[in-house]
Amino acid sequence: MRMELLAHIPLSVGVYAARTAWDSHKKGGKYIVPTNNLIDKDFEFINTLFNNLKHWSVAEHIWYTFKIRFKSEYEKLKTMFYVKNEYNFFSESGKNEIVFSVNMRTLYEEKHSNYKNSNIVENFYKELEKFLPVNHQNLLNGRNARKENEKNGKDVFHCKKEYETNGYPIKIKPLYYYNVNDFKCDFSRRKHEFATFEIKGISRAFLQEIVRHDDLFAGTVKSTRFTLKELQEINDGDEKFAKFLSIHKESKPEEREKIFRIQKESLKTIKDLLNGGAKRDIVKYALPEGYKTTAVITYNIDNLENLIRLRTEGKVFDEFKQTAFVMQKILDDLRKRQKGGKK
């Protein structure tokens, strides 16, 4: 069996997602270009997150795509029979050859689970791990050792552009994108195409809608504890409260006024409770549906296009619909960019 790592999402994307949840971007997590070369604070942070606190959900943002050549058709079919599950993707790309995509969390769980499906699965993932960048291997093995000048591979991505959603205070920024179709492989393109987005300003109502598709993506949301801390620190005033709130764009002026008044009174009450010593985990139950937050989401593009199709047709929650339209626009731009077209 011969393996080659075609593309992957760098560690800095996972760090960015984690620091979004912990609201700790002031301490690190921001890189001009996504990279595996983390600063010491970020490597220690994500290593502690993964290997001490066991918060491996963030590792679902970090995907790898391999080309694998087998000695025979029999070896290929036998290996895929045992390895294939809902957490990985593979496509045949030639005689005795596949393209295989898997995320870091799955690699960890296959490596550290108390049960083993078979020696075939165990040996397959052990072999895959050898082809990962060194800092990825170190994290999987719980080693707090950071290699300097780590290679980032062929799939370097950089985008500063933020996209705005029609009628809502939502800004979407692509953090990473790769499509191994660029590597001249003959297989189903979308299964091995991935994108990570930062989405700022979505409402709690939006989150209720998107979790219906939680089998389609990896998602990390800014902790409500930290948004409540920000709320607690502001001075009273309509403009101050408004930055935390979202309202349906098609609401009538009198409806908007009444809804905002209800939302504002709710936030004032929450602020008073917090200042009176109430715990944030208790107070969060009083938050309005229009309360805004930030999420980092990674999609397999096959799943993303399915979500876009479902959420841009018929009677759909409008905030989600407008966001889906923008995500399709971003995806089109990313594909043009990779092919060398205009941004």
Side-chain angles (χ1 to χ4, degrees):
M1 195 182 335
R2 294 171 56 193
M3 298 184 175
E4 176 189 357
L5 179 62
L6 296 179
H8 70 283
I9 295 179
L11 290 176
S12 64
V13 175
V15 171
Y16 194 95
R19 289 208 178 277
T20 296
W22 269 261
D23 193 30
S24 61
H25 282 297
K26 292 180 180 179
K27 297 180 181 179
K30 293 185 177 181
Y31 296 83
I32 296 174
V33 177
T35 180
N36 291 316
N37 292 302
L38 305 179
I39 61 174
D40 287 336
K41 281 185 178 180
D42 281 341
F43 193 87
E44 290 169 7
F45 170 65
I46 201 165
N47 187 54
T48 298
L49 195 66
F50 289 171
N51 291 302
N52 292 358
L53 301 177
K54 303 301 179 184
H55 285 312
W56 280 90
S57 60
V58 173
E60 293 176 11
H61 292 284
I62 302 171
W63 280 85
Y64 312 94
T65 298
F66 299 85
K67 181 188 285 185
I68 305 173
R69 298 177 183 89
F70 297 90
K71 293 179 181 178
S72 67
E73 183 75 5
Y74 174 74
E75 183 188 31
K76 180 181 77 173
L77 293 174
K78 183 176 71 171
T79 301
M80 289 300 96
F81 176 80
Y82 286 103
V83 169
K84 184 181 179 182
N85 59 43
E86 65 266 39
Y87 304 111
N88 57 48
F89 304 94
F90 82 92
S91 302
E92 296 194 28
S93 59
K95 185 178 180 180
N96 303 332
E97 183 178 276
I98 65 166
V99 173
F100 180 79
S101 293
V102 65
N103 66 49
M104 189 184 226
R105 180 175 185 172
T106 299
L107 289 178
Y108 173 83
E109 290 179 348
E110 291 291 348
K111 182 182 180 67
H112 294 282
S113 60
N114 293 325
Y115 64 92
K116 298 294 179 184
N117 294 328
S118 72
N119 289 333
I120 293 174
V121 175
E122 184 177 359
N123 293 335
F124 177 82
Y125 281 110
K126 277 184 178 179
E127 194 65 24
L128 272 188
E129 188 181 324
K130 296 176 184 177
F131 294 87
L132 300 181
V134 173
N135 285 332
H136 294 242
Q137 293 184 39
N138 289 342
L139 286 170
L140 282 169
N141 289 284
R143 295 191 293 262
N144 192 17
R146 182 181 67 86
K147 179 187 175 184
E148 296 184 1
N149 301 318
E150 176 81 281
K151 291 182 179 180
N152 291 314
K154 302 175 184 177
D155 48 314
V156 174
F157 175 83
H158 177 44
C159 181
K160 290 183 177 180
K161 185 175 180 180
E162 277 190 334
Y163 295 73
E164 295 187 356
T165 301
N166 179 32
Y168 296 93
I170 297 173
K171 293 184 178 180
I172 308 174
K173 180 180 178 181
L175 298 177
Y176 207 77
Y177 170 78
Y178 78 71
N179 174 0
V180 295
N181 203 39
D182 189 51
F183 294 90
K184 314 300 181 186
C185 296
D186 181 20
F187 55 84
S188 176
R189 167 179 53 81
R190 296 182 306 173
K191 284 186 179 180
H192 309 281
E193 186 178 6
F194 293 87
T196 302
F197 305 92
E198 178 186 43
I199 310 178
K200 294 180 179 178
I202 55 175
S203 68
R204 289 167 63 87
F206 181 100
L207 286 179
Q208 286 189 43
E209 296 284 329
I210 201 170
V211 293
R212 297 178 185 177
H213 305 276
D214 65 346
D215 58 327
L216 303 181
F217 66 89
T220 302
V221 180
K222 183 176 180 180
S223 172
T224 307
R225 294 180 184 181
F226 297 111
T227 56
L228 286 175
K229 182 180 179 182
E230 294 172 3
L231 175 64
Q232 190 175 1
E233 292 171 351
I234 68 167
N235 297 321
D236 289 353
D238 286 359
E239 291 184 3
K240 298 289 186 180
F241 284 118
K243 79 170 191 174
F244 291 93
L245 298 167
S246 180
I247 297 175
H248 197 292
K249 73 179 179 68
E250 294 179 1
S251 55
K252 298 174 183 178
E254 61 271 22
E255 292 173 335
R256 294 182 71 87
E257 183 180 345
K258 290 179 180 179
I259 291 169
F260 178 68
R261 185 165 65 248
I262 293 168
Q263 290 177 330
K264 183 178 69 173
E265 289 304 315
S266 176
L267 294 190
K268 280 185 175 181
T269 301
I270 289 169
K271 186 180 173 186
D272 290 342
L273 285 167
L274 291 170
N275 289 333
K279 294 180 179 180
R280 292 174 195 160
D281 278 353
I282 293 174
V283 171
K284 68 171 65 172
Y285 283 86
L287 283 169
E289 292 283 80
Y291 194 69
K292 294 191 299 186
T293 189
T294 297
V296 174
I297 298 177
T298 297
Y299 287 96
N300 163 266
I301 300 304
D302 195 27
N303 291 339
L304 174 59
E305 291 191 331
N306 179 51
L307 181 146
I308 289 171
R309 178 183 60 80
L310 292 172
R311 289 296 177 163
T312 53
E313 297 177 353
K315 294 181 179 180
V316 175
F317 183 57
D318 191 64
E319 184 182 345
F320 203 158
K321 178 183 283 189
Q322 299 306 322
T323 302
F325 281 133
V326 175
M327 294 181 85
Q328 182 64 67
K329 165 64 175 169
I330 294 173
L331 182 57
D332 292 342
D333 287 353
L334 292 174
R335 285 170 169 167
K336 288 179 185 176
R337 176 193 177 106
Q338 191 174 52
K339 291 178 180 178
K342 293 182 180 180
K343 297 180 185 178

